[in-house]
Amino acid sequence: MVGIKPTDVAPSATIKVIGAGTAACLADLITFPLDTAKVRLQIQGEGVGSQGPGALRYKGVFGTITTMVRTEGARSLYNGLVAGLQRQMSFASIRIGLYDSMKVFYTRGSDNAGIGVRLLAGSTTGAMAVALAQPTDVVKVRFQAQVRLEDGGRRYNSTMDAYRTIARDEGVRGLWKGCLPNITRNAIVNCAELVTYDLIKELILKYDLMTDNLPCHFSAAFAAGFCTTVVASPVDVVKTRFMNSEPGRYDGAVRCALTMLRKEGPAAFYKGFVPSFLRMGSWNVVMFVSYEQIKRALSRAQQSWEAPS
């Protein structure tokens, strides 16, 4: 990321990886109810016409949250949190923590990275992260989507039970379900999120609008969250629907998208947009602000450890 002063020691790749994973987990803890509401709104409509859980029942972000608390209890807002934190620790560590290293790789050591290189670096780390962390994302989405059955039971009883059940019923491939749309989504998200943040922060510092501190990080992160939501929402909805679907419902992500378009119209691709923006905007602000501070703190700690006594 831009913003290192000449007197500062640039944080190492290890510090960036640890910092990114930690900051992403912190952001998840704070914004997870919004993400759960987003998932419920995105999958709503799959079973329209039935009387089951797929029937329309949620209206708006806070209406969804209120309905979930009333019918399933407050804990339902954090369904899938364990898998979500597992996902962020592995996922964000790669896609965010290795972004700068990938820029250096593509520029062969040069500090001057154009927008094309930044987009390529963001796409690469996003795809790498999905390849590793896809099972955690599948389990997280399944947990967030599940509702309590009439007999009080649930589709999955715990995070490990979800991993085992999916692997047993759908095979190991079930844990990587939706990998292709997720790679597409995260290439888009990474480019919109990291490149937007990188460029806006660079412009703010270049024109001395703010110093490299919290207000600068907040402004760049908020803008990155909005751009990411607008660009990535259609792919995100398809990814969520496909990963949550029963085996055999769709024969691929493209068929899932076409079915949505035919049955629900183009607006279906922006279902849950408001919670997506609330989630993505707040998540970006918490994550990037935390990430910048954690990087600085770890860099200072590393310098003090290495300094001669």
Side-chain angles (χ1 to χ4, degrees):
M1 298 289 178
V2 296
I4 300 295
K5 299 175 183 176
T7 54
D8 291 339
V9 175
S12 65
T14 302
I15 285 177
K16 291 176 183 177
V17 167
I18 295 172
T22 304
C25 285
L26 179 61
D28 246 30
L29 282 169
I30 294 173
T31 64
F32 206 80
L34 290 171
D35 192 41
T36 302
K38 177 202 74 172
V39 168
R40 291 293 180 93
L41 285 168
Q42 285 178 336
I43 65 171
Q44 182 167 248
E46 283 185 309
V48 173
S50 69
Q51 299 302 313
L56 293 175
R57 59 185 303 194
Y58 304 119
K59 294 182 179 179
V61 187
F62 300 108
T64 300
I65 291 174
T66 302
T67 299
M68 289 179 64
V69 171
R70 186 179 67 250
T71 59
E72 303 172 55
R75 291 182 61 183
S76 65
L77 297 174
Y78 283 90
N79 280 345
L81 177 63
V82 174
L85 296 179
Q86 291 172 350
R87 173 182 180 268
Q88 292 299 352
M89 207 63 216
S90 54
F91 199 76
S93 297
I94 296 172
R95 77 177 186 89
I96 299 171
L98 294 181
Y99 170 70
D100 286 333
S101 299
M102 200 56 63
K103 282 197 302 182
V104 172
F105 173 78
Y106 283 127
T107 57
R108 298 181 179 179
S110 172
D111 291 330
N112 299 318
I115 188 168
V117 168
R118 298 183 203 212
L119 291 171
L120 187 57
S123 300
T124 303
T125 58
M128 289 168 57
V130 172
L132 176 67
Q134 180 69 4
T136 62
D137 203 16
V138 172
V139 170
K140 179 183 82 77
V141 168
R142 296 283 183 94
F143 256 102
Q144 289 177 312
Q146 75 173 352
V147 295
R148 186 173 292 140
L149 303 176
E150 291 181 2
D151 60 2
R154 289 185 178 276
R155 190 177 183 183
Y156 309 110
N157 296 317
S158 68
T159 303
M160 293 310 299
D161 177 56
Y163 285 116
R164 286 193 298 266
T165 302
I166 294 170
R168 184 185 69 240
D169 296 347
E170 304 173 42
V172 175
R173 289 181 61 184
L175 292 170
W176 267 267
K177 188 173 187 178
C179 194
L180 182 59
N182 213 11
I183 286 176
T184 304
R185 174 192 179 271
N186 280 285
I188 294 171
V189 166
N190 240 28
C191 289
E193 189 176 81
L194 294 178
V195 176
T196 302
Y197 179 82
D198 216 7
L199 289 172
I200 292 176
K201 181 182 172 185
E202 187 177 90
L203 290 172
I204 289 173
L205 297 177
K206 180 180 179 180
Y207 292 103
D208 294 321
L209 300 176
M210 300 176 191
T211 58
D212 186 13
N213 223 315
L214 199 148
C216 171
H217 305 157
F218 179 94
S219 302
F222 186 83
F226 180 77
C227 291
T228 304
T229 308
V230 171
V231 172
S233 189
V235 182
D236 192 34
V237 175
V238 173
K239 179 212 77 167
T240 300
R241 289 280 186 98
F242 186 59
M243 289 199 304
N244 185 59
S245 63
E246 302 89 354
R249 185 184 183 100
Y250 306 113
D251 58 11
V254 174
R255 179 57 61 85
C256 177
L258 291 174
T259 301
M260 285 174 56
L261 182 63
R262 187 177 68 253
K263 291 185 175 180
E264 303 171 59
F269 293 99
Y270 280 92
K271 275 192 171 182
F273 180 83
V274 174
S276 286
F277 173 60
L278 290 174
R279 151 75 168 177
M280 193 67 73
S282 56
W283 191 93
N284 270 270
V285 167
V286 175
M287 196 284 297
F288 277 116
V289 169
S290 301
Y291 180 43
E292 298 281 8
Q293 300 307 313
I294 291 170
K295 279 195 301 182
R296 290 182 180 181
L298 291 177
S299 294
R300 292 193 194 102
Q302 184 181 29
Q303 284 179 264
S304 65
W305 294 334
E306 295 175 350
S309 54

